[in-house]
Amino acid sequence: MKKVVVLGTGGTIAGKASHASDNIGYTAAQVGVAQLLADVAGMPALLAGRLLESEQVAQVDSKDMSFAVWQSLLQRVHAHLQADDVQAVVITHGTDTLEETAYFLQAVLPADLINAKPVVLTAAMRPASSLAPDGPQNLLDAVAVALTPGAHGVVAVCAGAVHTAMDVQKIHTYRLDAFSSGDAGPLGYVEEGQLRVLRNWPLAPSDKAYIAIKNIANDNRWPRVEIVMNYVGGSAAVVNALLRPAPGVDPLRGLVVAATGNGTMHEDLEAALRRAQVQGVQVVRATRCASGRVVSGAHAEFEDANGLSPVKARVALMLALMSS
Ligand code: ASP
C-alpha cells in the first residue's frame, strides 16, 4: 500500500486562541502537523489501515509566506512525489496566500509527476482551538481527494469543495466556504469521503516549468515583480516610485497591473507603464475584477495575464523571468 504524506506549513488550521469561542483573535501556526493528523487519524473508516506520514516543512501564518518557504516546500513535495511508495501529497496551509502557493506548485512541478499524482492543499478559517473547527473536516476531505483513483495535479480543498490551482481564489474574509473557482466552478465536491468529480483534473502547463524548478533550486534570487492597481485618480506616482533605485532593494523586473474592468487604466498610469516597459520592465495586464479574464484586442499594448488573477500573474511573471 502506498502512503499519503501530509506536509505542514502553518496557517489558521494550526492556529490557537485562548478561548474556544474566539475565531479571530488567535495566533496562526501553533499546532504541529503531526498533531493535526493525529486529531483526525483515529476517526473515520476512510483512514483505517491507511499509511499516513507527516512532515513539518514550515510553521508560518501564510500572510508571511516567503520565497524561502516556497523553496523548501517545493523541494519536499518534489522529493515525495518522486518516491514510488508515495501516492499523494497533502499540504496544510493558511488561507490567505494558498492560491499563490497552489499556482506556484502547479507551474513548477515536473509534468510527469504532477500529471500522475495529486498535491492537495487544505486550510481552515477557524483555529484548531475553536469550539467548532473546520480544519479536521477539511484535512479529512483533502486526504479523501488525495486517495481518489485518477487524482492528479495541484488542487485545494476547503468546505467540501475542490478547486484547481489555476482557478482557486480566496473570496471571503470570514465564512468557512472562503474559496471560489470563479467562472470555471469547482472541480468537484467531497461528500462523506467520496469525491463527486465535475470536471477534468488539471494538467501541468508545459515543459518550460521544469526549467524554472532547476533555477529555483539553484538560485534563491527571485526577480522583483510588483503589482499596481488602477483606481479613481490613478497616476504615474506609484510606478515612478517603484522604478526609482533604492539601496538594498532589487531593481524592478516586472509589473502586473490590476487594471479596472476588461484591462482598462487611467491614462496617466498607462503612460507610466509604457515608460517602464521602454526601460525593460515587463508589464502584464490583469484585472481587479474578481471574475472573468481580460479579453484582449489584436492591438493590446501590454501582454495580458492569460486569465490569471493579479497575484497569480505576478508568480507567473517571476517564473518566466527566472526561466528566461
Ligand atoms: N492568516 C491566516 C493564514 O493565512 C489565515 C488563515 O489561514 O485562514 O495563515
Side-chain angles (χ1 to χ4, degrees), residues 16-281:
K16 264 179 150 179
S18 43
H19 300 287
S21 58
D22 190 352
N23 287 319
I24 55 168
Y26 60 87
T27 307
Q30 301 299 303
V31 184
V33 65
Q35 186 59 50
L36 298 181
L37 199 53
D39 289 346
V40 295
M43 268 194 261
L46 170 83
L47 300 184
R50 292 287 177 182
L51 288 175
L52 294 168
E53 194 180 288
S54 68
E55 184 182 321
Q56 197 77 47
V57 174
Q59 190 63 298
V60 292
D61 185 320
S62 85
K63 72 178 175 60
D64 301 320
M65 185 52 69
S66 64
F67 298 135
V69 173
W70 269 10
Q71 218 147 331
S72 319
L73 182 62
L74 176 61
Q75 275 163 16
R76 295 313 297 144
V77 173
H78 190 208
H80 286 300
L81 288 181
Q82 278 181 309
D84 286 341
D85 63 341
V86 172
Q87 178 171 351
V89 173
V90 170
I91 302 171
T92 57
H93 198 287
T95 59
D96 287 348
T97 58
L98 179 145
E99 67 214 60
E100 289 169 67
T101 300
Y103 177 78
F104 165 67
L105 292 174
Q106 177 73 43
V108 299
L109 284 163
D112 59 332
L113 294 178
I114 205 63
N115 290 341
K117 295 179 182 183
V119 174
V120 185
L121 286 98
T122 193
M125 291 298 284
R126 291 181 183 160
S129 55
S130 172
L131 197 59
D134 52 332
Q137 186 65 53
N138 287 345
L139 181 53
L140 215 50
D141 288 350
V143 174
V145 171
L147 289 168
T148 301
H152 62 83
V154 182
V155 297
V157 173
C158 187
V162 185
H163 307 276
T164 69
M166 198 69 184
D167 299 310
V168 67
Q169 203 166 342
K170 186 172 180 183
I171 49 125
H172 206 281
T173 55
Y174 184 76
R175 276 189 218 143
L176 304 191
D177 192 4
F179 291 92
S180 165
S181 288
D183 286 352
L187 181 143
Y189 294 104
V190 191
E191 294 155 342
E192 297 297 301
Q194 295 296 316
L195 176 63
R196 177 159 57 96
V197 184
L198 303 175
R199 58 190 183 90
N200 293 341
W201 293 95
L203 284 170
S206 73
D207 291 346
K208 213 175 142 200
Y210 196 51
I211 302 165
I213 199 175
K214 287 186 196 141
N215 292 353
I216 291 161
N218 298 334
D219 171 18
N220 42 27
R221 290 201 76 76
W222 289 64
R224 182 167 163 236
V225 177
E226 305 285 357
I227 300 174
V228 293
M229 189 185 263
N230 189 47
Y231 35 72
V232 171
S235 73
V238 175
V239 174
N240 290 346
L242 289 169
L243 287 172
R244 221 167 285 137
V249 180
D250 288 345
L252 191 67
R253 301 278 311 279
L255 271 174
V256 174
V257 54
T260 27
N262 188 28
T264 61
M265 60 197 98
H266 191 289
E267 54 188 350
D268 293 346
L269 174 61
E270 192 163 12
L273 290 172
R274 213 174 286 135
R275 286 194 295 275
Q277 202 160 246
V278 170
Q279 289 179 36
V281 173

